[in-house]
Amino acid sequence: NAGVMQNPRHLVRRRGQEARLRCSPMKGHSHVYWYRQLPEEGLKFMVYLQKENIIDESGMPKERFSAEFPKEGPSILRIQQVVRGDSAAYFCASSPGLSGANVLTFGAGSRLTVL
Amino acid sequence: SQQGEEDPQALSIQEGENATMNCSYKTSINNLQWYRQNSGRGLVHLILIRSNEREKHSGRLRVTLDTSKKSSSLLITASRAADTASYFCATLNSGNTPLVFGKGTRLSVIA
C-alpha cells in the first residue's frame, strides 16, 4: 500500500520558468493538502483540495500559484514565473476525509530550487 | 498564521535521557497532534490528543494537554540516537480547517 507519492523529488528551475509538482494521495484518501517549508522553518499551509474542488486556498499566494485535484490523476501544484523566493520544500499530505481527527499522511516532499 | 509555537527551538541531550518539548497555541482546538520529521524527509504522525483528554501514551511517548493554558508537552523517555529529528505540534481547530503547524523543536540525541 503505497503512501503519498510526490514527484519530482528535486526540481531546478530558472527564474521565470514554470514548476509543476505532483502528488498522488494515499489509496482511499480523498483529501489533499499542500504545505510549504522553508529551511529551518515549520510547515506553512497553502491549499486544501478534494477531487475537483478547492476547499481552502487561504495560504496560497494570490498570483502565480495554482492547484488542482482532477477527477482522474494526481493533484498538481503549479507555480508560474518562479522567483528565487519560491525555493522551498513543498509537501503534500492526504487524509481519508472528514473523520474528525484529520491525521495527515505526508509525502517525502518536492524540493524546488530556483536559480 | 502559525498556531502552535514549540519550545525550545533546539534541544540536545545524551542518549538515555528524557526529552521534553512544549507547544503553546492561541485558539480553541478540536485536537492537537505531534509529528516528527527526519532531515530531508516528510512528516510522520506520532500521536493525537483530543481537546477533552489530558494525557496520552504511546510507547516511549507521553503527551499532555492543558486547554486552560493552551499548551501541550511531548515527553520522549529513554531517548535514542534514532530519535534525532525535528518535532512539530499541529492543531486542528473547529470546522473543516487544515492542520496548523508550529516551527518545531530540533532534537539531537548524542550517543
Side-chain angles (χ1 to χ4, degrees):
Chain A
N1 182 15
V4 177
M5 304 301 293
Q6 289 189 247
N7 69 83
R9 290 293 311 278
H10 301 275
L11 182 63
V12 179
R13 285 287 178 266
R14 296 191 181 280
R15 281 180 297 170
Q17 292 184 319
E18 178 180 287
R20 285 194 181 213
L21 310 177
R22 296 173 190 77
C23 170
S24 295
M26 197 165 174
K27 188 176 181 181
H29 287 190
S30 58
H31 294 231
V32 166
Y33 308 78
W34 285 93
Y35 286 83
R36 176 163 65 177
Q37 185 178 37
L38 294 171
E40 307 299 322
E41 294 276 328
L43 273 72
K44 182 182 175 188
F45 167 74
M46 299 182 74
V47 62
Y48 163 32
L49 311 103
Q50 295 176 30
K51 285 282 187 182
E52 300 183 281
N53 209 9
I54 295 175
I55 306 301
D56 184 342
E57 56 181 349
S58 59
M60 287 274 274
K62 295 283 187 284
E63 298 176 349
R64 303 188 296 109
F65 285 72
S66 62
E68 61 176 6
F69 189 14
K71 187 176 180 181
E72 301 291 338
S75 174
I76 295 174
L77 179 67
R78 182 183 177 204
I79 311 172
Q80 296 177 290
Q81 299 175 337
V82 296
V83 300
R84 289 217 173 103
D86 297 332
S87 295
Y90 292 84
F91 288 95
C92 171
S94 69
S95 70
L98 299 177
S99 65
N102 211 34
V103 172
L104 301 185
T105 301
F106 279 84
S110 291
R111 278 152 188 82
L112 172 65
T113 300
V114 180
L115 302 178
Chain B
S1 61
Q2 296 286 34
Q3 163 78 310
E5 291 290 336
E6 291 90 343
D7 168 59
Q9 288 187 332
L11 179 62
S12 183
I13 59 173
Q14 296 288 327
E15 204 167 31
E17 293 181 334
N18 295 341
T20 300
M21 289 159 270
N22 303 298
C23 169
S24 59
Y25 57 92
K26 296 186 176 72
T27 63
S28 297
I29 60 171
N30 183 306
N31 67 55
L32 185 143
Q33 304 176 31
W34 285 89
Y35 287 77
R36 165 194 166 129
Q37 183 181 35
N38 285 75
S39 181
R41 308 291 295 274
L43 277 71
V44 175
H45 178 258
L46 293 176
I47 195 166
L48 176 153
I49 187 165
R50 299 184 192 281
S51 59
N52 61 353
E53 297 176 311
R54 290 297 165 258
E55 188 171 312
K56 205 160 184 181
H57 297 254
S58 176
R60 293 184 295 113
L61 306 181
R62 173 178 166 246
V63 170
T64 62
L65 179 65
D66 186 337
T67 52
S68 67
K69 295 181 180 179
K70 291 185 168 59
S71 67
S72 171
S73 67
L74 171 68
L75 169 67
I76 304 174
T77 60
S79 64
R80 305 166 183 168
D83 294 329
T84 295
S86 291
Y87 293 82
F88 295 90
C89 71
T91 53
L92 180 68
N93 303 327
S94 59
N96 194 16
T97 57
L99 281 180
V100 180
F101 286 82
K103 291 187 176 182
T105 292
R106 291 185 301 281
L107 174 66
S108 297
V109 181
I110 303 165

